[in-house]
Structure formats: structure tokens, C-alpha cells
Amino acid sequence: MKGKIERISGPVVEANLKGAKLYDVVKVGKDGLLGEIIKIVGEKAVIQVYEDTSGISPGEPVESTGMPLSVELGPGLLTGIYDGVQRPLKVIEEKSGSVFIKRGIEAHAVDRKKKWEFKPKVKKGQKVAVGDVLGVVQETPLIEHRILSPIEGKVESIEEGKFRVEDEICVISSGKKKTRLTMLQKWFVRKPRPVKEKLPPFIPLITGLRVVDTFFPIAKGGTAAIPGPFGSGKTVTQQSLAKYSDTQIVVYIGCGERGNEMTEVLKEFPHLEDPNSGRPLMERTILIANTSNMPVAAREASIYTGITIAEYFRDMGYDVALMADSTSRWAEAMREIGGRLEEMPGEEGYPAYLARRLAEFYERAGRVRCLGSKERFGSITIIGAVSPPGGDISEPVSQNTLRVTKVFLALDSSLAYRRHFPAINWLRSYSLYGDELANYFEKEVGGEFPHLAKEAMEILQKEAELQEVVQLVGPDALPEKEQAVLLVARMLREDYLQQNAFSEVDARCPLKKQYLMLKAILKFYHNTMNALEKGAQLKRIRELPVRAEIGRMKEERDLKQLEALHKRIDESFGGVFE
Amino acid sequence: MKEYKTVSQIAGPLVFVERVSGVSYGEIVEVLLESGEKKKGQVLDVSKERAVVQVFGGTEGISTASSVRFLGETLRIGLSSNMLGRVFNGLGEPRDGGPKIVPEEKVEITGLPINPYSRESPNEFIQTGISTIDCMNTLVRGQKLPLFSGAGLPHNQLAVQIARQAKVRRSGERFAVVFAAVGITHEEASFFMRDFEKTGALENAVLFLNLADDPSVERLITPRLALTTAEYLAYSQDMHVLVIITDMTNYCEALREISSARQEVPGRRGYPGYMYTDLSTIYERAGRVKGSKGSVTQIPILTMPGDDKTHPIPDLTGYITEGQIMLSRDLHRKNIYPPVDVLPSLSRLMNSGIGKGKTREDHKGVADQLYASYANGRDLRALSAVVGEEALTEVDRKYLRFADEFERRFVNQGPYEDRDIETTLSLAWDLLSMLPEEELKRVKKEYMAKYMRGGKK
């Protein structure tokens, strides 16, 4: 289908393109810039173009590919770094011959030349269902790539050996029709991949961040939002989660964010080790980098590209974590394109469909029973950063996100100012998975862990109330027991909640260690309260040397030392009565 | 070249030309007035029936009888290393009476996005000689670190001090300053010129001046001219370029003016919805890239309307740049120069530019400790205003004194005082020694023994 350009206004181009379908991908102008049809009026198609439109004039040709925007799925995705429409940035660099991204470059997302060792998992004559594993490829030492059957039928032939992604590996017949399959598949980004069943989440995503795992746990297959003003550490938190979560695959979408930050991820991840296997983190990671100055329409697409890739790995039976940084930039891209289309704006200029789009996106998360005749489970956990203007979360993107996500990690700039990181405000954040996950924690970590967490939170809440009184009368005017609450709350803040992302030992804190640390602080608390009851002076308790030991727990590698510390805490209180 | 006499409408900076053909988006236009005067413009929207042209240099004098020429190319600037030491106006024409530049290269000023894959991560420490920046908000090569200021604060003075003192502590590399004045007053511009001349910095500088009485549309061009020049010097001539743009608030005002003339749907406070994307095409043009020795470091300056950092201009800027240096009116009133409020200030790339081999091993711990202790001291200052100093504990009173001394000795320094990082760090240890040792949880014990009180007990 061919037509001609009629009007150009920034990234939006109108063309005469009879018979075009909505969301079909088109090539625009002499340079063949990539675009997508987003509106059709009579014979006129409105196209959002994924590249800069300078220098294009009316009358230049437009050609529809007849296919909606889709991603390529197959071996070779892992360790990749793509732009918002899945063009590999490395290939763009080679083809541009420059450090700048030139226009009109076509590039396959998956390498066509590389050969992969394909091992079949089905036999000739066997019946297969949609989603059955036809064979596997060891894509990286960490990840086995499972090739799933897209159709139902009987295996006519199956290959074994080294193949390129476009080579035929299997023929499946259903009725009279024979389908030749390769390792490469395509999927439309705006259409969720099907599953057998969605399941309730009851396994936590262990992040290694104490404030998250202990107080605001995220479930595998759950959704979390991280809103915060600039400088409060959204990106550092997202990156920590990407590095240390016990997930098998990470899809990291840099949506409209800083170029230097993406470079940092790119340079850092190959050198970081996966805590479970010791292999480079990059081997389980896919990066989508559409920085703020890259075309705005591709930014809109980047979120869909990322989630579709995540779904593909979920269908193989993996736990996938998807980080979207930042969904506000995504919403702004929708607003910008909506504005160019002269749509009637909703709240704060955002399009009226903002809430629906956000909900649809987060709904693609979940723990699922995958398609296929053998039982297989996978999950996608979505962690979305939100960048509310001025840090005020009453704005539409934050509000619509909070309506659909279950965990809210409120970043707080006043914590960031005093270098309390992660700057997650413990009074405003919440997790709705607490009850569902309590069982797991009781069984796997320690029976009292959820209880300890509740008790610690009560102390922190009590501190907030007492602080208001302190503001009026000063700390010395409080009774000693309340001063003790302030003391322990401070220990909780400084020795437990604060975590140093740059320290080798402290950056990732295993659950067992979290439990022992929390128990130590609460032991100190109970002993303090007991001692005060029996007439001890708080001054003596403040001077206990064991306090400094509690302060150094973070950097302790040996968990036995922490258990020994519990004993020493009990013992040291004997001395406070003298 | 095509010429039309079909102007149908003139609205603010925009001219509507009817029945055009073969005109491309972003093309450069010359408008010929009846008086013989020529004005330049650029195509903002084009269809078969009409082109919307944004005119630089004001639309006064244009009538429906004016003729419009489409030049068939997008906006470019001619570049050459002879531009060093020269002063240009906001459209890139010489302003110092010197000869025209003979270009070695002509380049589109909109610039292409840098491939994130082709970037190198910025990790070289730039010493500015200013304690609050070097120690607590370290600037590195390839970073974009804006000054968030307010009307009447000494941001210009601070900017020239940085331009004068900034150096990487490995000498022998070529260094240049590209300065873009966007809608500033004549007085401010001459302050910069005088200082550049006086210190001899001018010969390694390129200046682009769009002054307050120049047409506002030009303000959208000036920073891009400066950055295109900077990229040329950095990536083709292997120089380390520091770009200072002042004042980005004027740029955003111009953006809003054009947007409203185009009758676009306004976003927050009337600024267009695409302002984030537009600003990013300026700020993201900082960095280091593979295969080039040079770098572009940006220090944009903006004045926060009403000192409000949630205003869209500082807000969107902060979301793009790698941190911010925040100036404070309170400190300025206390006669502290530079009035940098370290608490809301931040350098995101600091950790990659400091530490052993770059600055000093104790740097990060010291910076964190200063932040935490000063924040505590400031809280206590507010508290003591209510309950009185007597109601505080002894330790708290030490914090109060620490906060005062920190402002008086660490933040405060002379406009010509160039402190190297060692001086700054030992000053910091000096101040930290006012606090009880068990309060200093952010610094390692070994460093405390090594550096505090010069390593003596």
C-alpha cells in the first residue's frame, strides 16, 4: 500500500493512504523513516514517526508494511541493548558510522548470522499443543532459551544441531496444512501474549533491600510503583532492584531518561555478578534505552516493546522483573502526541485514555500458568518509576498508577538530602502483599519475622508522633521510656533502614541477615524497656558499647557473628544497674 | 529556491504562507520586507496548502505583500576552530566587528541524539576550586550540572569563577569555554565579557550573545548554536569544552511564547507539553563518546521564578540533568558567598569521579558525613528556635555550632579563592572534629585516624 505525505508537524505526519489499518507500521518519506498509523480519517492516515522529521516535504512517498508494530523474539535477545522500537543500538552505531543516531537505519533485532546449538525436546510424530517446548538453546550460561510452539498439531520433522534463527527447525502439520517453523518469531507489541491462567502471587521477590523485603515486600508477579521528585534516588533504587533481585530475567526500560545513566548500566552490568550464579548480570538482562532526546514516538513504543519481550520469557517458565524508568515520560510522550493530533485533553493536558493505558500495562504483570501441555509457571513483576512534577503525587500519572499497583514505595527528598538511602519513606509507603507473603516468610526465614517487622514499624510510627511533641518541648522533657523509643527508632533508621548501595557487603542483604539484624535491634529495645522498668537510667544504656556493634552489623558477612551479638546484647544489660 | 507572495496571516512570531509546494519540515526561510530588509525563519508545520513559518528577528514590518523564500536547507552553522576568541550574536553572526568565519564544516544545529551505546561514562574529576562543589557535589567531565538560582543571587559570579578555575588535574589537555547568553541584559553580558577579557579566558572561549532586547524567537536558536560549536570542538578537535548557558528561564519563556502563538494545548502553567522533550534536546548534548578524546560538560543557569523549585522550568530541568547546584537566598542574606545550599544540591555522577586515584580515598565518607551532620544541625537550629538552646542536649549543641561553622568556613569562600581538593577535605575534617567521634558513623575508622586533626590524636 502506497500513498503520499500531506502534512508534517513535528513527529506527526498525515498521509493519503487508502485502505491502511490502524497501528500498521509505515515507511515515511524518501529516507524510509519508521512510523506507525495512530489514527485514520477517511482516506487519510495519521502517522507517528519514530525518527526526526526535519527535511521531509509533502508529496514524498509513504508505504505501509501491512503489519502492526511487532518485536522479534528468538535466541540472541539476552545481553541486547535496543532503542524503543527494538533496533539494536550496537548495529545502529556500526551502520551510522558515528556516535550519533542517523535516520532511516534498518536493523534486525536478532542477529541473523549467528548459529545456535538447537536441542530438540519433541520427537517426530508427537502431538504438540500451543506453548509446548519444541527444543532448547543455551543462549547464555545462565539462561536456557526454550523455543515454544506457536501452533497446535503433529510434529512432521524436527532438526538437531547448529542453526541460524531463520533456518527451519521443525515442521508441524495440523490437518492438511504444514507449517515450517524457525527459532525466530514475531509478536505484535500492543497485544498481550496469552496464558492458561493467572495465579495469585504468594512468593516474594527477594530484593536484598531491607526496607523493601522487611516492610514493603513485593510479590513475584506483582506490581510496584516508585514515585519521587528528582534527586530522591528513583534510578538508584531501580538499578539496585535490577541488580540484586532473585529473578531470572531482567528487562530494563530506560524510557525518556538520561543517556549517561544508560551508559552507566551498560558499563556496570557486565562487571557485576549475579549473586546466585556468579555470572555477569548482563547475561540475564535486556536493556531498552530510549533516552529523553531520542524520538518521542519511539519512547511511547518502548514500554510495549519491553513488556512483550518480558512476556516471551515468562512463557518459557521464567521469573521476569521489568523495570520501567520512567512511566511519567511514557505518559508525557502520549500527551505530546495527543497534542499534535489535536485531541481533546483530559486532566493536565494528558489524553483521556491515560488511565486505561496505564492499567493495561500493569495488568500484563502477574504469576501465570503458561500455555502448553506440561505444567509450567512464569511471572512478570513490574516495577515502575513515576516522576511527578514537583514531587507532588496528586497529579494524574501518579494517581492512576497507584490505583492499579499493589506496592507503593514513596521516595522522599528530605531523606535524600540527609543521605538516607534508599530514601523510601517508611510512613507513607505500603505493600498490599504483606498478608499473602507472611506465610512464606514464617516458613523460610523465621517464625517471628513478620511479627518483628510489625513491631519495628510501630516503633517508627511512635517516633513520628513523639517528634511532634519534641518540636514543642525539646527531647529532654520527655519521660525516659519515650526517649528510649526515640533512641531505638534512630537505631532502626540508621542501622537498619539505611543501606549503602556502594558497599560490597551491604548493597545486597539476604533475608536471613535481615531477620538477625532486626532481631538484634528489637532485643536491645526489649532489654532497654525492661531495664528502665527496673529502675535503670537511660544514660547508662546510651553508653553501652554494644550499640556501636549494632551499628556495624550491616558490614558483617558472617551470620554466626550476628547470632553471637544477640547473646552479648542480653549480657551487656546486666551492667546498667551498677 | 522558491519564492512566494502568498502570506495570509501574521500572528506573533508566526507567518502563514499559502499554496506552497516542495517545502520541507524544518526548512530555513527568508522573508523579504517591502523596505528591503531580510529576516530569517524556519518551517514549523507544512501541508499541501500552507506552511507555518516561525520568524527570527521579530515579525514587525512583515505584511501580506512581503515575499517568502524557501532556501531548501535546514538550519546550519558553519564551524571552524578559528571561532575561538570570537563573539557572535544569537544567530551566529559575528558581533565583535571581526571577519566572517570561513567554515571547515557546516552542521545542522538541531543535532542528532547520541547513541547511548556509543557514550563513555563520565568519570574524570573536574576541580572547580569551590569546596561545596568539589567535595559535596563533584562535577565530572561530560556531566550536565545546572545552577538553580533566583533573581538577585550571585549565580553569574559563581559561573565565571567556575569557568576561570575549572581544571582536570592532569594538565596538557586543551580546554575551551563556550558561552551562550540567552535573553540576559546588556549589563550582565558585559560582566561576563569583562571577566573573560580580564582573565585572558576569552582566547579559549566562543561567545554567543542573545540579549534581552533581541527577538525572543532567536533564544530557541542560540543554545543550539553554542552546543553544535561545542560538539565540534569536543569531538572533531579533541578539546574539553565547558558550556555555560544563561539563563534557561528565558529560553523556556520564548518556548511558551511560540507555543501560545501557535495556539497549542498548554501544559502546566502555560508551558507546552513537549517542554521536557525540547529541553532534553539541549541538556542531553553533554557527554563523552567513544573514539574521541574531547568532552562536553554543561553548566546551564536558570533563575527559579519565585525561588520555587517545583516550577516547571527547574522541575523539568532537574529530571533531565545529572543533579543541580542550588543557591539559597538565606545564605546570601547571611553574606555567605557562594550561597550554595548543599542539602537540596546533588551531583548524580559524583561517585564515579571520586575516591582513590581520582580525588582521595576518604572523599565519599567525608561528603556523606558532612551532609548528614549539617542536615541534623539545621533541624536542631529550627528546634532551638522554638524550645531554646538550653533545652537541647550537649551533643545537640555541638551540632548547632557545627552547622554555623560549616556555613562560615566551608561554604563561604572568596570569589578568587581557588581551593584544591586536599585543602577542602582537610577543612572538612577540621569541622568534623567538632563532633563526638561516635557520632561520625559515615566515615571509616581508619580514615578518621589518618586524616582527622592531621592524623594526630
Side-chain angles (χ1 to χ4, degrees):
Chain A
M1 227 168 302
K2 286 184 181 173
K4 282 201 160 75
I5 297 179
E6 298 203 326
R7 181 183 169 198
I8 303 138
S9 169
V12 173
V13 165
E14 289 174 14
N16 185 346
L17 203 62
K18 199 179 162 187
K21 296 194 298 287
L22 197 64
Y23 293 128
D24 275 1
V25 171
V26 288
K27 299 274 170 70
V28 178
K30 284 183 291 217
D31 293 337
L33 309 183
L34 207 59
E36 183 182 12
I37 298 175
I38 49 171
K39 188 172 159 186
I40 291 174
V41 189
E43 293 185 358
K44 199 170 70 184
V46 181
I47 301 159
Q48 62 173 352
V49 182
Y50 296 130
E51 295 176 82
D52 181 34
T53 50
S54 292
I56 296 185
S57 6
E60 284 189 35
V62 172
E63 190 179 348
S64 170
T65 60
M67 278 264 288
L69 188 66
S70 29
V71 285
E72 291 188 347
L73 303 168
L77 282 172
L78 289 169
T79 74
I81 162 160
Y82 299 102
D83 77 351
V85 288
Q86 215 204 1
R87 291 183 306 176
L89 289 171
K90 195 176 166 189
V91 180
I92 292 183
E93 182 188 75
E94 284 158 15
K95 289 202 176 182
S96 299
S98 151
V99 297
F100 298 104
I101 299 177
K102 297 207 168 134
R103 295 188 306 174
I105 288 175
E106 275 187 79
H108 290 302
V110 174
D111 192 340
R112 294 292 195 269
K113 289 194 191 113
K114 185 161 181 177
K115 284 193 168 177
W116 300 93
E117 183 75 42
F118 177 77
K119 288 196 192 112
K121 289 280 170 187
V122 291
K123 291 197 181 75
K124 193 179 165 185
Q126 194 176 328
K127 283 228 154 83
V128 290
V130 176
D132 278 356
V133 180
L134 296 174
V136 297
V137 166
Q138 195 67 41
E139 185 175 350
T140 67
L142 276 183
I143 300 294
E144 176 191 80
H145 196 112
R146 298 168 188 148
I147 312 288
L148 307 178
S149 175
I151 49 168
E152 194 180 37
K154 205 173 88 180
V155 178
E156 290 288 323
S157 70
I158 180 101
E159 307 290 333
E160 177 167 8
K162 290 201 155 200
F163 296 98
R164 297 189 187 89
V165 289
E166 283 181 316
D167 294 339
E168 179 184 303
I169 47 145
C170 181
V171 178
I172 289 180
S173 67
S174 44
K176 278 182 189 156
K177 204 176 140 214
K178 284 191 179 171
T179 314
R180 293 166 196 289
L181 296 177
T182 66
M183 286 190 271
L184 186 70
Q185 298 178 13
K186 287 197 171 188
W187 193 267
F188 308 146
V189 295
R190 291 178 201 274
K191 188 175 155 197
R193 286 172 65 90
V195 296
K196 216 180 247 171
E197 188 191 357
K198 282 211 169 182
L199 302 168
F202 55 81
I203 303 169
L205 179 80
I206 297 159
T207 64
L209 288 180
R210 285 187 289 269
V211 59
V212 176
D213 290 346
T214 307
F215 296 111
F216 312 109
I218 304 170
K220 284 203 173 107
T223 50
I226 312 185
F230 61 82
S232 57
K234 272 188 304 297
T235 303
V236 177
T237 310
Q238 285 265 35
Q239 289 185 2
S240 293
L241 292 173
K243 285 179 209 165
Y244 304 120
S245 298
D246 67 333
T247 178
Q248 289 160 305
I249 306 271
V250 172
V251 178
Y252 194 101
I253 311 174
C255 175
E257 285 288 317
R258 306 176 181 88
N260 279 333
E261 262 167 17
M262 289 318 296
T263 312
E264 203 179 301
V265 174
L266 271 177
K267 302 269 160 184
E268 200 181 357
F269 273 36
H271 302 294
L272 287 173
E273 282 176 6
D274 175 39
N276 304 315
S277 65
R279 301 287 314 169
L281 268 185
M282 207 61 202
E283 290 180 0
R284 64 167 199 185
T285 309
I286 294 161
L287 290 173
I288 313 242
N290 211 89
T291 58
S292 52
N293 58 338
M294 282 158 75
V296 69
R299 192 199 302 168
E300 195 266 343
S302 65
I303 292 282
Y304 293 107
T305 302
I307 189 81
T308 311
I309 294 173
E311 283 176 343
Y312 176 65
F313 282 99
R314 172 205 64 192
D315 291 348
M316 293 180 205
Y318 287 118
D319 290 319
V320 185
L322 180 127
M323 318 286 164
D325 184 17
S326 142
T327 55
S328 294
R329 305 296 160 232
W330 179 51
E332 280 164 16
M334 282 188 244
R335 172 167 74 183
E336 201 172 321
I337 292 159
R340 302 269 185 188
L341 293 175
E342 288 161 16
E343 287 171 346
M344 185 67 92
E347 222 179 322
E348 289 196 20
Y350 286 104
Y353 46 78
L354 172 73
R356 175 173 59 83
R357 292 277 199 99
L358 279 167
E360 279 171 0
F361 166 61
Y362 282 105
E363 199 52 24
R364 288 173 83 166
R367 196 169 157 268
V368 305
R369 195 189 302 273
C370 309
L371 288 181
S373 42
K374 275 195 194 139
E375 191 146 81
R376 205 166 56 220
F377 298 96
S379 71
I380 296 179
T381 312
I382 298 184
I383 299 165
V386 186
S387 323
D392 172 11
I393 61 159
S394 65
E395 54 91 41
V397 183
S398 304
Q399 284 306 310
N400 285 314
T401 303
L402 291 183
R403 278 170 46 210
V404 290
T405 52
K406 290 277 172 60
V407 178
F408 171 58
L409 301 176
L411 291 175
D412 186 336
S413 48
S414 68
L415 289 175
Y417 291 170
R418 57 192 64 227
R419 297 304 184 257
H420 175 116
F421 288 116
I424 295 171
N425 184 308
W426 50 91
L427 297 173
R428 281 168 43 220
S429 304
Y430 60 77
S431 163
L432 302 181
Y433 295 118
D435 293 339
E436 278 155 316
L437 300 178
N439 258 334
Y440 176 95
F441 286 124
E442 278 168 17
K443 229 165 71 194
E444 303 289 325
V445 190
E448 17 161 27
F449 189 51
H451 173 73
L452 289 178
K454 274 199 185 122
E455 199 180 352
M457 188 48 72
E458 274 162 26
I459 295 173
L460 288 165
Q461 251 149 9
K462 181 91 191 185
E463 182 199 26
E465 287 163 27
L466 290 176
Q467 282 296 354
E468 285 176 28
V469 183
V470 170
Q471 291 296 325
L472 293 174
V473 298
D476 281 352
L478 292 179
E480 291 224 314
K481 273 197 164 178
E482 295 192 337
Q483 289 190 39
V485 170
L486 290 182
L487 175 72
V488 175
R490 187 171 164 200
M491 287 163 69
L492 278 172
R493 282 189 281 116
E494 294 182 355
D495 304 332
Y496 194 78
L497 293 174
Q498 279 185 21
Q499 204 169 339
N500 186 351
F502 299 97
S503 151
E504 211 183 305
V505 183
D506 197 32
R508 175 176 170 272
C509 186
L511 275 185
K512 191 77 192 172
K513 186 175 167 191
Q514 300 190 14
Y515 166 68
L516 292 173
M517 285 175 71
L518 194 60
K519 196 167 166 182
I521 297 176
L522 288 172
K523 232 178 210 319
F524 183 89
Y525 175 67
H526 292 145
N527 273 314
T528 305
M529 286 305 179
N530 261 332
L532 290 177
E533 194 91 350
K534 289 183 190 145
Q537 279 192 323
L538 186 60
K539 190 164 169 283
R540 296 296 304 277
I541 297 172
R542 277 187 205 277
E543 286 162 357
L544 285 178
V546 77
R547 269 185 66 200
E549 280 191 69
I550 292 178
R552 285 195 294 273
M553 286 190 300
K554 291 179 190 177
E555 295 293 335
E556 185 58 61
R557 279 172 210 267
D558 186 1
L559 297 189
K560 291 224 175 67
Q561 292 290 336
L562 293 182
E563 279 166 10
L565 176 62
H566 290 172
K567 224 186 234 167
R568 278 204 297 286
I569 293 173
D570 285 339
E571 286 162 9
S572 64
F573 271 84
V576 295
F577 298 101
E578 286 154 23
Chain B
M1 194 165 21
K2 303 185 190 77
E3 192 165 333
Y4 295 89
K5 284 207 159 203
T6 49
V7 173
S8 66
Q9 193 186 333
I10 302 146
L14 303 181
V15 170
F16 295 73
V17 191
E18 303 296 319
R19 297 185 300 280
V20 295
S21 82
V23 169
S24 55
Y25 177 75
E27 190 173 338
I28 291 301
V29 170
E30 259 180 14
V31 184
L32 272 70
L33 274 57
E34 286 157 301
S35 61
E37 198 187 339
K38 266 193 217 164
K39 285 179 186 245
K40 275 194 172 173
Q42 189 175 16
V43 176
L44 276 191
D45 188 328
V46 57
S47 62
K48 275 198 290 196
E49 299 85 41
R50 75 156 54 138
V52 181
V53 176
Q54 149 186 316
V55 177
F56 313 130
T59 41
E60 59 275 9
I62 300 180
S63 73
T64 48
S66 304
S67 67
V68 179
R69 258 188 217 158
F70 292 86
L71 302 182
E73 61 169 25
T74 45
L75 199 54
R76 285 159 191 266
I77 176 173
L79 296 168
S80 147
S81 43
N82 292 330
M83 290 168 84
L84 287 171
R86 298 290 304 272
V87 184
F88 302 90
N89 70 9
L91 285 177
E93 293 149 358
R95 199 193 142 101
D96 50 5
K100 272 202 160 179
I101 296 292
V102 182
E104 291 161 26
E105 231 180 287
K106 274 196 124 184
V107 178
E108 275 192 40
I109 66 155
T110 47
L112 293 165
I114 298 178
N115 189 334
Y117 185 78
S118 310
R119 280 180 186 267
E120 291 283 348
S121 43
N123 56 12
E124 287 171 292
F125 169 63
I126 298 182
Q127 181 177 297
T128 63
I130 294 161
S131 295
T132 40
I133 297 179
D134 289 351
C135 178
M136 301 177 74
N137 298 287
T138 316
L139 178 69
V140 297
R141 270 183 181 167
Q143 187 175 16
K144 39 195 180 293
L145 189 64
L147 290 182
F148 281 14
S149 182
L153 294 181
H155 44 264
N156 290 340
Q157 217 172 347
L158 181 57
V160 292
Q161 189 176 2
I162 294 172
R164 194 167 55 223
Q165 299 179 355
K167 55 179 153 299
V168 170
R169 307 213 301 168
R170 229 183 313 123
S171 52
E173 286 174 324
R174 292 182 18 185
F175 192 80
V177 174
V178 173
F179 177 79
V182 182
I184 64 173
T185 60
H186 194 272
E187 227 170 289
E188 287 171 291
S190 64
F191 167 77
F192 280 103
M193 298 271 291
R194 266 203 319 273
D195 198 273
F196 281 142
E197 270 169 32
K198 196 168 71 187
T199 57
L202 190 62
E203 58 183 293
N204 283 318
V206 186
L207 277 65
F208 292 91
L209 304 180
N210 165 282
L211 300 185
D213 56 350
D214 287 332
S216 61
V217 193
E218 280 180 30
R219 287 173 198 154
L220 305 186
I221 305 294
T222 312
R224 295 190 162 86
L225 291 172
L227 286 164
T228 310
T229 311
E231 282 172 356
Y232 169 78
L233 294 174
Y235 306 141
S236 298
Q237 306 289 323
D238 285 341
M239 298 178 88
H240 293 285
V241 187
L242 179 69
V243 183
I244 298 174
I245 307 175
T246 178
D247 175 331
M248 283 306 287
T249 304
N250 295 332
Y251 174 87
C252 296
E253 294 301 330
L255 201 63
R256 176 163 69 174
E257 190 183 331
I258 308 288
S259 172
S260 96
R262 290 180 69 182
Q263 300 184 344
E264 288 169 340
V265 182
R268 250 196 341 145
R269 301 218 190 167
Y271 294 97
Y274 51 79
M275 191 156 91
Y276 176 82
T277 307
D278 189 279
L279 285 174
S280 77
T281 60
I282 291 179
Y283 297 139
E284 275 291 329
R285 293 173 79 174
R288 289 173 59 219
V289 298
K290 282 184 195 164
S292 165
K293 289 197 195 104
S295 65
V296 177
T297 309
Q298 264 190 51
I299 301 188
I301 299 170
L302 58 86
T303 43
M304 297 180 281
D307 292 352
D308 173 13
K309 93 175 154 107
T310 67
H311 184 280
I313 299 172
D315 191 50
L316 295 179
T317 300
Y319 275 122
I320 304 167
T321 54
E322 283 130 2
Q324 65 279 333
I325 303 289
M326 192 81 82
L327 301 190
S328 140
R329 202 165 291 279
D330 283 345
L331 288 175
H332 183 59
R333 282 203 197 104
K334 282 191 195 168
N335 214 3
I336 285 171
Y337 171 87
V340 175
D341 187 356
V342 291
L343 295 186
S345 299
L346 170 73
S347 163
R348 288 166 192 273
L349 302 179
M350 170 166 175
N351 287 320
S352 53
I354 63 171
K356 209 171 177 180
K358 288 169 176 161
T359 53
R360 214 168 75 179
E361 54 193 1
D362 56 328
H363 190 153
K364 180 166 165 47
V366 168
D368 284 350
Q369 188 64 58
L370 287 176
Y371 268 112
S373 304
Y374 179 57
N376 196 17
R378 284 256 296 251
D379 284 353
L380 288 165
R381 199 183 274 167
L383 179 62
S384 80
V386 182
V387 299
E389 216 180 302
E390 299 72 33
L392 300 180
T393 63
E394 196 191 329
V395 176
D396 286 351
R397 281 198 290 273
K398 283 187 177 163
Y399 271 108
L400 269 187
R401 276 197 299 282
F402 169 81
D404 290 341
E405 287 295 292
F406 174 80
E407 288 170 6
R408 210 173 54 78
R409 288 169 54 197
F410 191 86
V411 180
N412 195 21
Q413 70 184 84
Y416 287 89
E417 188 181 348
D418 189 355
R419 292 183 190 158
D420 63 22
I421 184 71
E422 285 79 13
T423 313
T424 293
L425 286 175
S426 58
L427 182 57
W429 279 111
D430 226 23
L431 289 167
L432 290 176
S433 70
M434 297 171 67
L435 298 170
E437 280 188 22
E438 59 274 15
E439 290 288 314
L440 306 179
K441 287 189 179 177
R442 307 298 183 100
V443 286
K444 287 196 182 162
K445 279 241 150 62
E446 42 172 311
Y447 297 151
M448 208 187 288
K450 191 165 166 190
Y451 296 109
M452 198 185 287
R453 300 182 189 95
K456 286 177 270 286
K457 266 279 161 184

